Amino acid sequence: MSAAPVKAPAGDRGDAMNTEGPFIRVDHLTKVYSLGKSARLGLPGRRSQAKGFTAVDDVSFDVKRGQIFVIMGLSGSGKSTIIRMLNRLIDASDGSITVDGRDVRSLPPAQLRAYRNQTINMVFQHFGLFPHKSLIDNVAFGLKVRGVDRATREAKAAEALTLVGLGDRIHAMPDQLSGGMKQRVGLARALATDAEILLMDEPFSALDPLIRKDMQELLVKLQRNFKKTIVFVTHDLNEAMYLGDRIMVMKQGRNVQTGTALDLLEAPADPYIEEFVAEVDRSKVLTAGMISKDPDPGMAAAAPGVPARSGHDAVRVSEATVLTELLPLLAAGTERVEVVDEHGTPVGHVTAETVLAALAPKEYSHAL
Amino acid sequence: MRFNIGDWFASVIDWMLANVGWFFDGVAWLVSQIVGAVEIVLIGLHPFLIIALLAGAALALTRSLGLTLFSAAAFAVIVAMGLWVESMSTLAVVLVSVMFSLAIGIPLGIWAALNNTVSAVVRPVLDLMQAMPVFVYLIPAVFFFGVGMVPGIAATIVFAVPPAVRLTELGIRKLDLELLEAAMAFGAKKGLILKDVQLPLAFSSIMAGVNQVIMLALSMVVVAGLVGAGGLGGVVVQGVAQLDTARGFEGGLAVVILAVYLDRVTSGARSLGDVLRSRRAKKEQRAAAATAPVAAAAG
Ligand SMILES: Nc1ncnc2c1ncn2[C@@H]1O[C@H](COP(=O)(O)OP(=O)(O)OP(=O)(O)O)[C@@H](O)[C@H]1O
Ligand SMILES: [Mg+2]
């Protein structure tokens, strides 16, 4: 498709990221399902006026480029409805959706198809693989829709399958795969089109816990390379905190709180979230980056990559290290652990005290 | 006071006969030409050649050796009974009726699957067509097309279209919503979704419809014999009229042979997609196994 809008190559996004406005911006989004169906199903009448059933009620949020934004909430809280309004599988009743400056709700049909094909792809809870197509044909589907010739799209699809570790099974059929493998294909299909946004509606919920962990790690690994903008739906707070740069908690169609994992842990906005948070294993979701204090002046001055204070035995960990992994270091008597980002630039430090304070649930720290 | 629906229906038929009779004459001529052409092939070629072709078709569509041998033997029995020509003429009528029924039924089924209004309109009409006793169509069909095989074909089509429509619509509608969403989420156009996702996944349901259409068409054969359609129906009707049990039974047996053959072949073809797919998958597995050591070394 030569008429495709030219996208900035991935490399150009770089540091402009922080200064530009939100990539996805959702304002006062509302969805009212027409009552007929839900009334017959006998659904609980939540604000079910004569007009219909309000599944999403005045929700606003925004997502920066390259972020993982998690929408989390119990069953029926409207998560799937929101994510489907972003690519217009469901049409919103009210409010606005802007993606990269474009008003999504007013796209005419042809532009909507181009938007879905090139900008925003989706990964499904039950994988949504076409059972009559081989893995490579499944993964190449988006490119086929785009009109890319067979050789090019198959090369691209094979590459995407290799990325998710299925490079040697490209001609297999979906029903020959386990659940985890199927979702790898689902992921590859969304990667193959180079769309910048991934919508993931409970992509790992149908998998058993170990496989689910694998998939979360795979997603984090891929995300490090691709810097997609991901909207991820889950009802599992551990998953939300592990993956989410920011988390929006939904309750009965409303946005109850939006913030980082640490925000939710430290300052839950209402008892509903407090209840959720009580279930979380802090040592596994909090990372060194989240709790680190200002970088040491001496460290910060050092050029990135150059070992600072050579001779001094500074212990370094990456931002993404979870607290459980810090405990052995601290137990071994390390007083101070330097925290560095992915380029090796120091971002702060943690001590035994900060780690223990972060692990202590809020009420206990108040009691002190 | 009686409300004379029957009279009203009859006067509509009369009006049509008087005013658009030429149209029905044309249709009758065209259909008999088509059936004639098919008959020439089926009867004109040597029976053994036709038997070989029919058995070959069974092998190709079902991949079952048992069915292939059975059909060769069963058709040989028909030849031995001296009913070959009648059987082939019946087969020609069935094939043409089925072709017309599918040409009407499948597109209508697709349309009904994609459009709720069409579906709502079509459904009661199909109920009516299917529930009405077949003789009711046969009477006006004879008025329109005269006696012979054409009214038989016309009645057969009315009778056999409903399952083609219904099973096509059902096959498309029962598609997993998530697959439809997946296709739409990648920006596919409606036409591509139909061709690439909905129809292939509805294939086995559509083939079930084809199978039912064929069986209904065959069940009409004897009925059509009553209006002079000839073929095996004629044989059976003749046997009954002359109280010739032997002849009637032979005609019936030939109908059964045709029915079993067509049923097994089309229901076998139903799963052909799956068979080919799993074959491809197995081949792929073998290929993967062969290259696995290489991949391991490279990775
Ligand atoms: N087509 C529809 N018509 C009427 N009501 C609907 C429709 N789809 C969803 N709903 C209702 O809207 C509410 C939100 O649904 P949604 O699927 O967005 O929830 P969810 O948060 O994704 O839940 P889950 O975790 O179960 O997937 C639910 O109460 C649901 O019953
Ligand atoms: Mg959902």
Side-chain angles (χ1 to χ4, degrees):
Chain A
M1 265 201 181
S2 51
V6 181
K7 278 183 306 196
D12 284 6
R13 284 181 219 156
D15 297 82
M17 214 181 270
N18 300 329
T19 51
E20 71 183 279
F23 188 45
I24 303 176
R25 184 184 184 91
V26 170
D27 274 314
H28 304 293
L29 194 63
T30 296
K31 175 66 192 180
V32 181
Y33 284 112
S34 63
L35 197 55
K37 208 180 196 173
S38 53
R40 253 180 281 129
L41 293 174
L43 293 168
R46 172 216 310 173
R47 272 164 281 118
S48 52
Q49 317 102 335
K51 280 163 92 185
F53 176 82
T54 310
V56 174
D57 190 3
D58 194 19
V59 167
S60 304
F61 62 90
D62 49 49
V63 185
K64 287 207 180 76
R65 252 201 172 100
Q67 265 197 343
I68 299 184
F69 185 82
V70 174
I71 302 176
M72 114 116 226
L74 296 179
S75 189
S77 56
K79 310 179 296 293
S80 297
T81 306
I82 292 189
I83 208 169
R84 278 167 176 71
M85 285 192 283
L86 295 180
N87 65 354
R88 279 190 40 198
L89 286 178
I90 293 178
D91 272 311
S93 311
D94 203 5
S96 75
I97 301 166
T98 317
V99 170
D100 207 7
R102 280 196 299 175
D103 178 11
V104 172
R105 287 192 62 200
S106 67
L107 291 175
Q111 281 183 39
L112 173 62
R113 285 197 301 271
Y115 163 70
R116 285 173 176 169
N117 188 264
Q118 292 157 25
T119 310
I120 190 162
N121 280 172
M122 192 157 180
V123 177
F124 293 86
Q125 181 172 4
H126 302 289
F127 324 125
L129 301 183
F130 303 121
H132 60 300
K133 289 177 183 285
S134 62
L135 302 195
I136 192 160
D137 287 343
N138 263 287
V139 173
F141 184 75
L143 296 170
K144 180 177 182 180
V145 169
R146 198 179 292 177
V148 174
D149 68 274
R150 177 176 283 273
T152 314
R153 68 179 189 242
E154 289 196 342
K156 189 87 191 162
E159 196 183 307
L161 279 166
T162 306
L163 275 175
V164 298
L166 285 172
D168 54 343
R169 306 278 322 256
I170 59 175
H171 294 295
M173 300 304 284
D175 60 11
Q176 295 176 289
L177 304 184
S178 67
M181 287 166 138
K182 282 184 188 163
Q183 198 56 297
R184 284 167 191 260
V185 180
L187 203 51
R189 181 169 65 177
L191 290 176
T193 59
D194 286 327
E196 276 189 72
I197 303 174
L198 287 192
L199 303 178
M200 308 183 83
D201 188 0
E202 304 203 28
F204 307 146
S205 301
L207 307 176
D208 56 52
L210 284 178
I211 305 293
R212 177 193 274 231
K213 193 74 200 151
D214 279 351
M215 292 300 289
Q216 291 167 354
E217 280 162 12
L218 174 69
L219 182 64
V220 168
K221 198 181 105 204
L222 291 171
Q223 176 65 356
R224 225 172 275 143
N225 293 326
F226 288 96
K227 288 280 173 223
K228 300 273 183 192
T229 305
I230 299 177
V231 181
F232 189 105
V233 163
T234 179
H235 55 240
D236 172 357
L237 191 57
N238 281 308
E239 184 170 72
M241 296 202 162
Y242 178 69
L243 293 173
D245 291 311
R246 292 205 312 144
I247 301 165
M248 173 167 84
V249 184
M250 301 276 303
K251 182 185 179 184
Q252 301 192 342
R254 286 173 187 267
N255 170 358
V256 194
Q257 184 173 11
T258 308
T260 61
L262 200 59
D263 292 339
L264 299 188
L265 284 173
E266 296 299 306
D270 80 350
Y272 173 75
I273 296 176
E274 247 171 85
E275 217 173 286
F276 262 123
V277 166
E279 307 282 306
V280 168
D281 182 348
R282 289 160 173 258
S283 68
K284 293 206 175 91
V285 300
L286 292 178
T287 63
M290 287 179 189
I291 63 163
S292 65
K293 296 272 186 322
D294 299 332
D296 177 80
M299 288 282 292
V306 179
R309 290 191 195 174
S310 37
H312 195 286
D313 53 348
V315 180
R316 293 169 165 214
V317 297
S318 96
E319 282 181 304
T321 314
V322 291
L323 299 195
T324 4
E325 290 168 20
L326 285 178
L327 293 177
L329 289 176
L330 297 172
T334 313
E335 273 168 24
R336 177 187 170 94
V337 179
E338 306 296 343
V339 182
V340 296
D341 69 10
E342 57 199 291
H343 308 296
T345 314
V347 293
H349 70 269
V350 294
T351 62
E353 273 145 78
T354 50
V355 170
L356 287 176
L359 288 178
K362 206 171 106 255
E363 53 265 50
Y364 300 122
S365 45
H366 284 322
L368 289 175
Chain B
M1 200 186 82
R2 205 173 94 84
F3 183 45
N4 275 322
I5 295 186
D7 287 351
W8 175 81
F9 179 71
S11 60
V12 169
I13 299 289
D14 285 344
W15 180 88
M16 280 166 62
L17 274 176
N19 293 284
V20 286
W22 54 269
F23 171 75
F24 293 106
D25 290 344
V27 171
W29 178 83
L30 184 69
V31 171
S32 53
Q33 291 303 304
I34 297 175
V35 176
V38 177
E39 258 180 352
I40 285 176
V41 174
L42 290 178
I43 297 172
L45 294 175
H46 194 278
F48 290 153
L49 181 58
I50 300 289
I51 292 178
L53 287 176
L54 290 171
L59 186 62
L61 291 173
T62 64
R63 325 230 149 196
S64 146
L65 199 62
L67 181 67
T68 311
L69 295 177
F70 162 81
S71 32
F75 284 115
V77 169
I78 291 184
V79 175
M81 293 191 298
L83 288 174
W84 180 254
V85 172
E86 288 82 355
S87 297
M88 287 305 104
S89 126
T90 291
L91 187 58
V93 170
V94 168
L95 289 180
V96 172
S97 316
V98 167
M99 239 170 47
F100 276 103
S101 304
L102 296 180
I104 298 168
I106 292 178
L108 196 57
I110 294 174
W111 196 21
L114 301 181
N115 185 317
N116 288 334
T117 318
V118 173
S119 173
V121 172
V122 160
R123 195 165 307 161
V125 175
L126 294 183
D127 288 339
L128 187 81
M129 282 163 69
Q130 224 174 3
M132 194 67 94
V134 276
F135 288 101
V136 178
Y137 308 127
L138 218 46
I139 304 161
V142 170
F143 285 155
F144 287 132
F145 302 112
V147 290
M149 66 190 154
V150 181
I153 291 178
T156 303
I157 291 173
V158 176
F159 190 55
V161 157
V165 179
R166 273 193 229 280
L167 283 161
T168 303
E169 178 179 355
L170 178 75
I172 294 176
R173 279 191 187 261
K174 70 159 197 259
L175 180 72
D176 185 356
L177 175 66
E178 215 181 51
L179 293 184
L180 195 60
E181 280 190 329
M184 292 202 293
F186 283 88
K189 280 188 183 169
K190 286 207 173 81
L192 183 75
I193 297 178
L194 185 67
K195 179 175 120 331
D196 229 43
V197 179
Q198 290 173 306
L199 285 181
L201 291 174
F203 179 77
S204 99
S205 179
I206 294 174
M207 282 310 291
V210 172
N211 176 274
Q212 285 203 17
V213 167
I214 291 178
M215 299 319 282
L216 286 177
L218 207 53
S219 75
M220 282 293 290
V221 161
V222 175
V223 178
L226 290 173
V227 293
L232 292 174
V235 174
V236 173
V237 169
Q238 208 185 3
V240 172
Q242 299 172 352
L243 300 178
D244 183 344
T245 315
R247 191 74 179 144
F249 179 77
E250 284 177 353
L253 185 62
V255 172
V256 170
I257 289 173
L258 278 184
V260 170
Y261 171 80
L262 291 172
D263 178 57
R264 296 298 183 275
V265 169
T266 48
S267 52
R270 205 181 148 180
S271 52
L272 190 62
D274 296 332
V275 172
L276 291 179
R277 224 176 289 150
S278 72
R279 218 161 255 246
R280 216 170 101 197
K282 275 201 207 98
K283 211 162 77 191
E284 129 77 17
Q285 252 171 357
R286 252 177 277 129
T291 57
V294 182

